[in-house]
PDB file of all heavy atoms in Angstrom:
ATOM      1  N   CYS L   1     -10.863 -11.086   8.447  1.00  0.00           N
ATOM      2  CA  CYS L   1     -10.674 -10.567   9.794  1.00  0.00           C
ATOM      3  C   CYS L   1     -11.826  -9.633  10.114  1.00  0.00           C
ATOM      4  O   CYS L   1     -12.129  -8.723   9.333  1.00  0.00           O
ATOM      5  CB  CYS L   1      -9.345  -9.821   9.905  1.00  0.00           C
ATOM      6  SG  CYS L   1      -9.085  -8.980  11.485  1.00  0.00           S
ATOM      7  N   THR L   2     -12.429  -9.845  11.261  1.00  0.00           N
ATOM      8  CA  THR L   2     -13.541  -9.021  11.706  1.00  0.00           C
ATOM      9  C   THR L   2     -13.195  -8.341  13.021  1.00  0.00           C
ATOM     10  O   THR L   2     -12.736  -8.995  13.963  1.00  0.00           O
ATOM     11  CB  THR L   2     -14.814  -9.859  11.867  1.00  0.00           C
ATOM     12  OG1 THR L   2     -15.183 -10.419  10.609  1.00  0.00           O
ATOM     13  CG2 THR L   2     -15.962  -8.998  12.372  1.00  0.00           C
ATOM     14  N   ALA L   3     -13.420  -7.050  13.076  1.00  0.00           N
ATOM     15  CA  ALA L   3     -13.168  -6.268  14.279  1.00  0.00           C
ATOM     16  C   ALA L   3     -14.459  -6.067  15.061  1.00  0.00           C
ATOM     17  O   ALA L   3     -15.531  -5.869  14.479  1.00  0.00           O
ATOM     18  CB  ALA L   3     -12.568  -4.917  13.915  1.00  0.00           C
ATOM     19  N   SER L   4     -14.339  -6.103  16.364  1.00  0.00           N
ATOM     20  CA  SER L   4     -15.500  -5.877  17.216  1.00  0.00           C
ATOM     21  C   SER L   4     -15.038  -5.326  18.556  1.00  0.00           C
ATOM     22  O   SER L   4     -13.857  -5.355  18.887  1.00  0.00           O
ATOM     23  CB  SER L   4     -16.298  -7.167  17.420  1.00  0.00           C
ATOM     24  OG  SER L   4     -15.520  -8.147  18.088  1.00  0.00           O
ATOM     25  N   GLY L   5     -15.990  -4.826  19.327  1.00  0.00           N
ATOM     26  CA  GLY L   5     -15.690  -4.333  20.653  1.00  0.00           C
ATOM     27  C   GLY L   5     -15.768  -2.825  20.747  1.00  0.00           C
ATOM     28  O   GLY L   5     -16.690  -2.204  20.232  1.00  0.00           O
ATOM     29  N   ASN L   6     -14.785  -2.247  21.400  1.00  0.00           N
ATOM     30  CA  ASN L   6     -14.763  -0.818  21.711  1.00  0.00           C
ATOM     31  C   ASN L   6     -14.349  -0.005  20.493  1.00  0.00           C
ATOM     32  O   ASN L   6     -13.251   0.551  20.433  1.00  0.00           O
ATOM     33  CB  ASN L   6     -13.819  -0.563  22.888  1.00  0.00           C
ATOM     34  CG  ASN L   6     -13.828   0.880  23.343  1.00  0.00           C
ATOM     35  OD1 ASN L   6     -14.783   1.612  23.111  1.00  0.00           O
ATOM     36  ND2 ASN L   6     -12.746   1.294  23.994  1.00  0.00           N
ATOM     37  N   ILE L   7     -15.245   0.070  19.532  1.00  0.00           N
ATOM     38  CA  ILE L   7     -14.953   0.727  18.263  1.00  0.00           C
ATOM     39  C   ILE L   7     -16.034   1.738  17.935  1.00  0.00           C
ATOM     40  O   ILE L   7     -17.215   1.405  17.896  1.00  0.00           O
ATOM     41  CB  ILE L   7     -14.848  -0.288  17.115  1.00  0.00           C
ATOM     42  CG1 ILE L   7     -13.753  -1.311  17.389  1.00  0.00           C
ATOM     43  CG2 ILE L   7     -14.585   0.437  15.797  1.00  0.00           C
ATOM     44  CD1 ILE L   7     -13.742  -2.459  16.409  1.00  0.00           C
ATOM     45  N   PHE L   8     -15.604   2.949  17.688  1.00  0.00           N
ATOM     46  CA  PHE L   8     -16.499   3.955  17.136  1.00  0.00           C
ATOM     47  C   PHE L   8     -16.405   3.975  15.614  1.00  0.00           C
ATOM     48  O   PHE L   8     -17.424   4.049  14.930  1.00  0.00           O
ATOM     49  CB  PHE L   8     -16.180   5.341  17.703  1.00  0.00           C
ATOM     50  CG  PHE L   8     -17.026   6.438  17.113  1.00  0.00           C
ATOM     51  CD1 PHE L   8     -18.330   6.618  17.527  1.00  0.00           C
ATOM     52  CD2 PHE L   8     -16.519   7.280  16.138  1.00  0.00           C
ATOM     53  CE1 PHE L   8     -19.116   7.621  16.994  1.00  0.00           C
ATOM     54  CE2 PHE L   8     -17.291   8.293  15.593  1.00  0.00           C
ATOM     55  CZ  PHE L   8     -18.596   8.461  16.027  1.00  0.00           C
ATOM     56  N   ASN L   9     -15.189   3.893  15.133  1.00  0.00           N
ATOM     57  CA  ASN L   9     -14.967   3.927  13.706  1.00  0.00           C
ATOM     58  C   ASN L   9     -13.671   3.199  13.376  1.00  0.00           C
ATOM     59  O   ASN L   9     -12.698   3.290  14.124  1.00  0.00           O
ATOM     60  CB  ASN L   9     -14.897   5.369  13.200  1.00  0.00           C
ATOM     61  CG  ASN L   9     -14.767   5.462  11.700  1.00  0.00           C
ATOM     62  OD1 ASN L   9     -15.595   4.921  10.975  1.00  0.00           O
ATOM     63  ND2 ASN L   9     -13.731   6.150  11.229  1.00  0.00           N
ATOM     64  N   VAL L  10     -13.689   2.493  12.276  1.00  0.00           N
ATOM     65  CA  VAL L  10     -12.486   1.853  11.775  1.00  0.00           C
ATOM     66  C   VAL L  10     -11.867   2.762  10.724  1.00  0.00           C
ATOM     67  O   VAL L  10     -12.488   3.047   9.696  1.00  0.00           O
ATOM     68  CB  VAL L  10     -12.782   0.471  11.184  1.00  0.00           C
ATOM     69  CG1 VAL L  10     -11.512  -0.126  10.586  1.00  0.00           C
ATOM     70  CG2 VAL L  10     -13.353  -0.451  12.247  1.00  0.00           C
ATOM     71  N   ILE L  11     -10.664   3.213  10.988  1.00  0.00           N
ATOM     72  CA  ILE L  11      -9.984   4.112  10.072  1.00  0.00           C
ATOM     73  C   ILE L  11      -9.313   3.336   8.946  1.00  0.00           C
ATOM     74  O   ILE L  11      -9.393   3.715   7.777  1.00  0.00           O
ATOM     75  CB  ILE L  11      -8.956   4.973  10.823  1.00  0.00           C
ATOM     76  CG1 ILE L  11      -9.668   5.816  11.886  1.00  0.00           C
ATOM     77  CG2 ILE L  11      -8.170   5.862   9.864  1.00  0.00           C
ATOM     78  CD1 ILE L  11      -8.728   6.499  12.853  1.00  0.00           C
ATOM     79  N   ALA L  12      -8.661   2.256   9.309  1.00  0.00           N
ATOM     80  CA  ALA L  12      -7.985   1.441   8.319  1.00  0.00           C
ATOM     81  C   ALA L  12      -7.828   0.035   8.858  1.00  0.00           C
ATOM     82  O   ALA L  12      -7.772  -0.180  10.073  1.00  0.00           O
ATOM     83  CB  ALA L  12      -6.623   2.028   7.954  1.00  0.00           C
ATOM     84  N   MET L  13      -7.752  -0.904   7.952  1.00  0.00           N
ATOM     85  CA  MET L  13      -7.463  -2.275   8.317  1.00  0.00           C
ATOM     86  C   MET L  13      -6.436  -2.820   7.342  1.00  0.00           C
ATOM     87  O   MET L  13      -6.314  -2.330   6.216  1.00  0.00           O
ATOM     88  CB  MET L  13      -8.720  -3.147   8.298  1.00  0.00           C
ATOM     89  CG  MET L  13      -9.788  -2.713   9.286  1.00  0.00           C
ATOM     90  SD  MET L  13     -11.207  -3.849   9.369  1.00  0.00           S
ATOM     91  CE  MET L  13     -10.474  -5.210  10.311  1.00  0.00           C
ATOM     92  N   GLY L  14      -5.732  -3.819   7.779  1.00  0.00           N
ATOM     93  CA  GLY L  14      -4.726  -4.385   6.907  1.00  0.00           C
ATOM     94  C   GLY L  14      -4.209  -5.714   7.400  1.00  0.00           C
ATOM     95  O   GLY L  14      -4.663  -6.260   8.411  1.00  0.00           O
ATOM     96  N   TRP L  15      -3.260  -6.208   6.633  1.00  0.00           N
ATOM     97  CA  TRP L  15      -2.631  -7.485   6.933  1.00  0.00           C
ATOM     98  C   TRP L  15      -1.124  -7.336   6.962  1.00  0.00           C
ATOM     99  O   TRP L  15      -0.534  -6.650   6.119  1.00  0.00           O
ATOM    100  CB  TRP L  15      -3.007  -8.538   5.882  1.00  0.00           C
ATOM    101  CG  TRP L  15      -4.442  -8.943   5.927  1.00  0.00           C
ATOM    102  CD1 TRP L  15      -5.468  -8.433   5.209  1.00  0.00           C
ATOM    103  CD2 TRP L  15      -5.001  -9.969   6.751  1.00  0.00           C
ATOM    104  NE1 TRP L  15      -6.644  -9.062   5.524  1.00  0.00           N
ATOM    105  CE2 TRP L  15      -6.381 -10.017   6.476  1.00  0.00           C
ATOM    106  CE3 TRP L  15      -4.472 -10.846   7.694  1.00  0.00           C
ATOM    107  CZ2 TRP L  15      -7.243 -10.913   7.107  1.00  0.00           C
ATOM    108  CZ3 TRP L  15      -5.329 -11.735   8.330  1.00  0.00           C
ATOM    109  CH2 TRP L  15      -6.691 -11.761   8.025  1.00  0.00           C
ATOM    110  N   TYR L  16      -0.522  -7.985   7.935  1.00  0.00           N
ATOM    111  CA  TYR L  16       0.912  -8.119   8.038  1.00  0.00           C
ATOM    112  C   TYR L  16       1.236  -9.600   8.181  1.00  0.00           C
ATOM    113  O   TYR L  16       0.354 -10.411   8.472  1.00  0.00           O
ATOM    114  CB  TYR L  16       1.454  -7.338   9.235  1.00  0.00           C
ATOM    115  CG  TYR L  16       1.332  -5.839   9.087  1.00  0.00           C
ATOM    116  CD1 TYR L  16       0.100  -5.203   9.192  1.00  0.00           C
ATOM    117  CD2 TYR L  16       2.458  -5.050   8.842  1.00  0.00           C
ATOM    118  CE1 TYR L  16      -0.021  -3.833   9.049  1.00  0.00           C
ATOM    119  CE2 TYR L  16       2.351  -3.683   8.705  1.00  0.00           C
ATOM    120  CZ  TYR L  16       1.114  -3.076   8.813  1.00  0.00           C
ATOM    121  OH  TYR L  16       1.004  -1.716   8.677  1.00  0.00           O
ATOM    122  N   ARG L  17       2.488  -9.928   7.992  1.00  0.00           N
ATOM    123  CA  ARG L  17       2.869 -11.319   8.158  1.00  0.00           C
ATOM    124  C   ARG L  17       4.266 -11.402   8.757  1.00  0.00           C
ATOM    125  O   ARG L  17       5.064 -10.478   8.641  1.00  0.00           O
ATOM    126  CB  ARG L  17       2.816 -12.080   6.832  1.00  0.00           C
ATOM    127  CG  ARG L  17       3.903 -11.705   5.833  1.00  0.00           C
ATOM    128  CD  ARG L  17       3.705 -12.432   4.529  1.00  0.00           C
ATOM    129  NE  ARG L  17       4.809 -12.210   3.607  1.00  0.00           N
ATOM    130  CZ  ARG L  17       4.842 -12.631   2.352  1.00  0.00           C
ATOM    131  NH1 ARG L  17       3.802 -13.320   1.860  1.00  0.00           N
ATOM    132  NH2 ARG L  17       5.894 -12.385   1.580  1.00  0.00           N
ATOM    133  N   GLN L  18       4.533 -12.525   9.376  1.00  0.00           N
ATOM    134  CA  GLN L  18       5.832 -12.778   9.979  1.00  0.00           C
ATOM    135  C   GLN L  18       6.294 -14.172   9.582  1.00  0.00           C
ATOM    136  O   GLN L  18       5.837 -15.169  10.149  1.00  0.00           O
ATOM    137  CB  GLN L  18       5.774 -12.641  11.495  1.00  0.00           C
ATOM    138  CG  GLN L  18       7.125 -12.715  12.164  1.00  0.00           C
ATOM    139  CD  GLN L  18       7.088 -12.222  13.600  1.00  0.00           C
ATOM    140  OE1 GLN L  18       6.024 -12.049  14.182  1.00  0.00           O
ATOM    141  NE2 GLN L  18       8.249 -11.980  14.171  1.00  0.00           N
ATOM    142  N   PRO L  19       7.200 -14.256   8.614  1.00  0.00           N
ATOM    143  CA  PRO L  19       7.756 -15.556   8.234  1.00  0.00           C
ATOM    144  C   PRO L  19       8.621 -16.116   9.348  1.00  0.00           C
ATOM    145  O   PRO L  19       9.104 -15.366  10.212  1.00  0.00           O
ATOM    146  CB  PRO L  19       8.586 -15.236   6.988  1.00  0.00           C
ATOM    147  CG  PRO L  19       8.096 -13.911   6.510  1.00  0.00           C
ATOM    148  CD  PRO L  19       7.692 -13.179   7.758  1.00  0.00           C
ATOM    149  N   PRO L  20       8.868 -17.406   9.344  1.00  0.00           N
ATOM    150  CA  PRO L  20       9.714 -18.002  10.378  1.00  0.00           C
ATOM    151  C   PRO L  20      11.093 -17.354  10.415  1.00  0.00           C
ATOM    152  O   PRO L  20      11.753 -17.223   9.386  1.00  0.00           O
ATOM    153  CB  PRO L  20       9.804 -19.469   9.966  1.00  0.00           C
ATOM    154  CG  PRO L  20       8.578 -19.707   9.136  1.00  0.00           C
ATOM    155  CD  PRO L  20       8.340 -18.417   8.415  1.00  0.00           C
ATOM    156  N   GLY L  21      11.504 -16.934  11.592  1.00  0.00           N
ATOM    157  CA  GLY L  21      12.818 -16.352  11.768  1.00  0.00           C
ATOM    158  C   GLY L  21      12.990 -14.949  11.240  1.00  0.00           C
ATOM    159  O   GLY L  21      14.117 -14.437  11.230  1.00  0.00           O
ATOM    160  N   LYS L  22      11.918 -14.318  10.798  1.00  0.00           N
ATOM    161  CA  LYS L  22      12.009 -12.977  10.237  1.00  0.00           C
ATOM    162  C   LYS L  22      11.092 -12.011  10.978  1.00  0.00           C
ATOM    163  O   LYS L  22      10.254 -12.407  11.788  1.00  0.00           O
ATOM    164  CB  LYS L  22      11.647 -12.995   8.750  1.00  0.00           C
ATOM    165  CG  LYS L  22      12.575 -13.848   7.894  1.00  0.00           C
ATOM    166  CD  LYS L  22      12.183 -13.785   6.432  1.00  0.00           C
ATOM    167  CE  LYS L  22      13.113 -14.617   5.575  1.00  0.00           C
ATOM    168  NZ  LYS L  22      12.723 -14.557   4.140  1.00  0.00           N
ATOM    169  N   GLN L  23      11.268 -10.738  10.677  1.00  0.00           N
ATOM    170  CA  GLN L  23      10.450  -9.709  11.299  1.00  0.00           C
ATOM    171  C   GLN L  23       9.107  -9.586  10.600  1.00  0.00           C
ATOM    172  O   GLN L  23       8.936  -9.978   9.447  1.00  0.00           O
ATOM    173  CB  GLN L  23      11.179  -8.366  11.271  1.00  0.00           C
ATOM    174  CG  GLN L  23      12.420  -8.307  12.141  1.00  0.00           C
ATOM    175  CD  GLN L  23      13.056  -6.938  12.120  1.00  0.00           C
ATOM    176  OE1 GLN L  23      13.354  -6.399  11.060  1.00  0.00           O
ATOM    177  NE2 GLN L  23      13.258  -6.375  13.299  1.00  0.00           N
ATOM    178  N   ARG L  24       8.163  -9.024  11.314  1.00  0.00           N
ATOM    179  CA  ARG L  24       6.850  -8.779  10.739  1.00  0.00           C
ATOM    180  C   ARG L  24       6.946  -7.754   9.613  1.00  0.00           C
ATOM    181  O   ARG L  24       7.666  -6.753   9.725  1.00  0.00           O
ATOM    182  CB  ARG L  24       5.892  -8.295  11.826  1.00  0.00           C
ATOM    183  CG  ARG L  24       4.439  -8.241  11.401  1.00  0.00           C
ATOM    184  CD  ARG L  24       3.523  -7.920  12.580  1.00  0.00           C
ATOM    185  NE  ARG L  24       3.609  -8.937  13.627  1.00  0.00           N
ATOM    186  CZ  ARG L  24       2.863  -8.947  14.714  1.00  0.00           C
ATOM    187  NH1 ARG L  24       1.952  -7.992  14.904  1.00  0.00           N
ATOM    188  NH2 ARG L  24       3.017  -9.905  15.617  1.00  0.00           N
ATOM    189  N   GLU L  25       6.214  -7.998   8.544  1.00  0.00           N
ATOM    190  CA  GLU L  25       6.265  -7.138   7.387  1.00  0.00           C
ATOM    191  C   GLU L  25       4.863  -6.834   6.872  1.00  0.00           C
ATOM    192  O   GLU L  25       3.918  -7.589   7.086  1.00  0.00           O
ATOM    193  CB  GLU L  25       7.095  -7.782   6.268  1.00  0.00           C
ATOM    194  CG  GLU L  25       6.502  -9.078   5.744  1.00  0.00           C
ATOM    195  CD  GLU L  25       7.368  -9.737   4.692  1.00  0.00           C
ATOM    196  OE1 GLU L  25       8.440  -9.206   4.372  1.00  0.00           O
ATOM    197  OE2 GLU L  25       6.964 -10.809   4.184  1.00  0.00           O
ATOM    198  N   LEU L  26       4.765  -5.729   6.167  1.00  0.00           N
ATOM    199  CA  LEU L  26       3.499  -5.326   5.577  1.00  0.00           C
ATOM    200  C   LEU L  26       3.099  -6.272   4.457  1.00  0.00           C
ATOM    201  O   LEU L  26       3.921  -6.667   3.639  1.00  0.00           O
ATOM    202  CB  LEU L  26       3.618  -3.907   5.020  1.00  0.00           C
ATOM    203  CG  LEU L  26       2.456  -3.419   4.154  1.00  0.00           C
ATOM    204  CD1 LEU L  26       1.235  -3.131   5.014  1.00  0.00           C
ATOM    205  CD2 LEU L  26       2.859  -2.171   3.372  1.00  0.00           C
TER     206      LEU L  26
END
């Protein structure tokens, strides 16, 4: 994953996922 645009600094990046029928999770 690459971030671009209106960014001065990236503090943190990460990944989440959402299985079918479930809530998004870390």
